Amino acid sequence: MSTVVDFPLSNRATRYIEQLSGYEKAIKRVNQDAFHEQINPDGIVNIGVAENILMCDVMTQKMKEIYDQHPIQAEDLNYTDFSGSIHFKTAVADMMGKFVFKVEEKLNPQHFVTFNGAGTIIEQSVCMFCDPGDAVLIPAPMYLAFERDIIKRFGCVLIPVFMPYDKSSNIFVLDMDIVEETLNKARSDGIRVKCFLLTTPSNPLGDIHTEEEIKNLIDFCAKEQLHLISDEVYALSIFDKNQKFTSAAQIVFKDKELNLDYKHVHIIYSLSKDFSLNGFRVGILYSRNEKLIASMRSISPFQSVSRHTQALLTHLLSDHTFIEDYVSENERRLATAYKNVTDILNSYNINYVNAKAGVLLWIDLSEQIKKKMKKQVITGEDEVKFFELMLNDAKVYIPCGDFFKCHHEPGWFRICFTARKSEFMQFAFEKVFKWLSSE
Ligand SMILES: Cc1ncc(COP(=O)(O)O)c(C=O)c1O
């Protein structure tokens, strides 16, 4: 008779296996039972994950040309600077300066670090700012994976700064008084707050913070000795022509006559969203803080971008004419996809926050929850229950506000309008409303 011998893993591994957030549990289910027209037609229809397939044809064609014109070299098989080769970082610096920061100055490539994704950059930079137990302030609703990035591995604390919903203007407001109150409350609870993480354009709101708001935050963080991380991964996806995106870096450059060195302002960017390159795994950090850059370089061997990928993307990022055309075509397609999805939402009388940028839409299902739960007023628990029912019974995945720490305003959900064709979005909402009208 054979005996089963257990070879225990660390407590950390047990924690990683057992302590999953609501979002992680849900996405595990979605991946195990994903809808496929032929193979799994009764599977879960996913309209919640942030991807942009709208430009895959253009990007695939461009990458094919680069592969053809620049065959792999022997040197691509070797190691390079793990934080990014100088060629790659120079191409990154030139592209970022021209398109994202929109500044005249030539940027120093040594102020950049590239890792395998913005998620990694967030996790690693927060771990450089915070010891375990130190906290990061983040406006809520917030990108749902910040919880994973900030808490999971390094035990830092995430404190939401609740943004109230202003019904009359249909926006979630970043109120500096609430920022200050939240900071003071954390401090009086004995928590050391080390940074503020802003996302502009916002995930999940699709909103853009104004130059004035960002400037106020830069000054506030300087006064309060906080690092300001500005996550700008949707910077080149501004589809509302009346809107202007301002990078925190642009403000820093503008103010240089003040002779401030702005060592507390750090910009995060990614090729995942604006360039439809999620699978390539490229995240970018820009900072003038030498200590941060040195610490990130020191851990770079654990998460570098493959050298061959760097070589290919050096060609891509150096082709500014292509990027210019690509960005305007992407923004045109985003505007069309946004119009299509809002037509669908309007046809079902679903309220939403008007998005201006990015690939996401923040929708209000509170009326549908009230009907389903037969209640006048709903709570956060009702929202989560509704989410689970929609996943189990309607077989549609639309992540709920709880995952985004939107605990002060129950009933909101997030969809991504660029991960699938608009007919697929129509199909998903038909499934939801068929389920809602059943019973
Ligand atoms: C705001 C925000 N930051 C970071 C990321 C992570 O991007 P990456 O694919 O580069 O890790 C995402 C992805 O959805 C995001 O929406």
Side-chain angles (χ1 to χ4, degrees), residues 19-58:
Q19 294 180 8
L20 298 184
S21 66
Y23 146 70
E24 285 172 315
K25 281 184 201 148
I27 207 71
K28 199 167 148 194
R29 276 208 51 203
V30 174
N31 290 336
Q32 281 165 352
D33 184 20
F35 169 86
H36 186 284
E37 213 163 353
Q38 282 92 39
I39 302 165
N40 192 16
D42 296 325
I44 297 169
V45 168
N46 176 356
I47 54 166
V49 174
E51 278 192 304
N52 179 0
I53 59 151
L54 304 178
M55 293 294 285
C56 283
D57 57 337
V58 180

Side-chain angles (χ1 to χ4, degrees), residues 50 117-119 122 143 146 199 203 231 233-234 270 272-273 281-282:
I122 291 161
Y143 165 47
F146 282 151
T199 303
N203 171 354
D231 177 335
V233 305
Y234 298 99
S270 166
S272 287
K273 314 297 174 182
R281 312 306 304 126
V282 180

Side-chain angles (χ1 to χ4, degrees), residues 381-425:
E381 278 162 20
D382 296 324
E383 173 200 283
V384 175
K385 180 105 186 70
F386 181 88
F387 164 79
E388 278 164 6
L389 289 172
M390 187 160 61
L391 190 65
N392 290 333
D393 300 347
K395 302 283 265 303
V396 179
Y397 171 68
I398 307 180
C400 61
D402 179 69
F403 299 169
F404 301 83
K405 306 260 177 278
C406 190
H407 299 142
H408 54 308
E409 298 279 353
W412 291 88
F413 290 69
R414 188 194 78 176
I415 58 169
C416 171
F417 59 91
T418 57
R420 303 297 182 106
K421 296 212 166 85
S422 57
E423 304 86 75
F424 193 85
M425 302 302 290

